[in-house]
Amino acid sequence: MLGKMIVFSAPSGAGKTSIVKALLEKFKWLEFSVSATSRASRPGETNGIDYFFIEKEEFVSRIERGDFLEWEEVYKDNFYGTLLSEVERMWQKGHLVVFDVDVAGGINIKKKFSSAVLSVFVMPPSLEILEERLRGRNTETDDSLRKRIMKASKELEYAKDFDHIVVNDQLHEAIEEAAKLVQAFAGKP
Ligand code: ADP
Ligand code: 5GP
């Protein structure tokens, strides 16, 4: 049986990881869906916690086997996706599943599972601030930064396709707003 799902999408750097982390601490009935990816792990990332790191060839063969609830080639040759087995394990515990996926992935999940999904778009206050935050995170090369900013300006056009938009200006306010949306959808006090 299909359980409830909550999707947070945003251009990279808008703050969705920060918001999702805070919600997971606040609500014990939420569980994070660890995605699989074919990109290399960054320093400090742990397999099975940040992502399941899978070689590209294996990723593609698992797509063909139907192992993914959804997947996207988010950047060229970098695949990302949600393993069905992970999500089913969480629903069996009565938990709601939270996804942190790119904008195309968020729209796909909403389309595919409609009312079982709450979709939230995390909006940066501006593209300039987004770039500042990405630089401040110190995770990108000049090339990947440029790619992410170019992609971001397109992604902002899809905000209207989400159930809700949360502007992440002051992080604590964005967390509070997101928490209210999640609680209402989950039907939990
Ligand atoms: P995403 O998951 O969307 O890529 P992150 O949560 O990693 O984004 O945030 C990108 C960077 O911006 C991080 O260094 C984070 O600490 C910082 N950040 C997030 N929200 C805010 C905010 N409201 N104000 C200032 N910095 C923020
Ligand atoms: P990063 O390389 O910065 O960790 O992530 C790059 C992008 O891939 C982000 O926008 C992130 O939300 C997205 N992403 C992570 N996991 C998934 C997933 O399971 N499916 C999809 N479609 N996108 C994902």
Side-chain angles (χ1 to χ4, degrees):
M1 203 193 74
L2 211 59
K4 284 188 179 177
M5 294 168 258
I6 302 168
V7 172
F8 282 88
S9 295
S12 189
K16 65 186 174 324
T17 309
S18 308
I19 292 172
V20 167
K21 264 195 188 151
L23 294 177
L24 289 167
E25 273 167 31
K26 198 174 166 81
F27 302 127
K28 294 302 166 206
W29 39 263
L30 277 185
E31 202 166 344
F32 185 67
S33 162
V34 177
S35 298
T37 182
S38 67
R39 81 151 160 77
S41 63
R42 295 176 187 144
E45 284 183 333
T46 308
N47 188 35
I49 292 180
D50 299 286
Y51 282 106
F52 296 106
F53 295 99
I54 297 178
E55 292 297 326
K56 193 175 101 187
E57 291 67 28
E58 192 195 337
F59 201 110
V60 172
S61 72
R62 294 191 72 169
I63 292 173
E64 284 158 8
R65 283 214 301 267
D67 283 359
F68 290 99
L69 179 85
E70 67 80 39
W71 63 270
E72 291 283 335
E73 188 176 1
V74 177
Y75 301 100
K76 190 169 163 17
D77 285 336
N78 282 355
F79 291 85
Y80 294 79
T82 305
L83 289 163
L84 254 175
S85 53
E86 275 297 285
V87 172
E88 282 168 349
R89 189 176 55 74
M90 294 170 195
W91 286 335
Q92 271 164 14
K93 287 192 268 179
H95 287 173
L96 270 74
V97 182
V98 181
F99 299 95
D100 166 345
V101 297
D102 82 314
V103 173
I107 291 172
N108 278 347
I109 293 174
K110 178 68 194 181
K111 261 197 204 140
K112 204 164 163 184
F113 304 107
S114 58
S115 63
V117 176
L118 169 74
S119 67
V120 181
F121 188 95
V122 179
M123 177 79 89
S126 68
L127 278 176
E128 289 71 27
I129 291 179
L130 182 73
E131 184 168 348
E132 250 171 51
R133 287 184 189 165
L134 271 177
R135 282 190 195 282
R137 198 171 66 180
N138 275 327
T139 51
E140 308 308 315
T141 61
D142 281 351
D143 185 51
S144 72
L145 191 86
R146 196 176 42 80
K147 277 193 195 146
R148 278 165 199 253
I149 297 294
M150 264 169 46
K151 192 169 191 292
S153 60
K154 290 210 185 72
E155 287 173 328
L156 294 182
E157 293 170 20
Y158 292 97
K160 60 179 184 343
D161 295 339
F162 285 72
D163 294 328
H164 297 277
I165 298 174
V166 170
V167 178
N168 180 19
D169 186 357
Q170 296 302 316
L171 184 59
H172 68 278
E173 285 173 14
I175 291 168
E176 209 169 289
E177 196 182 334
K180 282 192 189 133
L181 294 172
V182 165
Q183 262 178 313
F185 175 73
K188 307 251 188 198

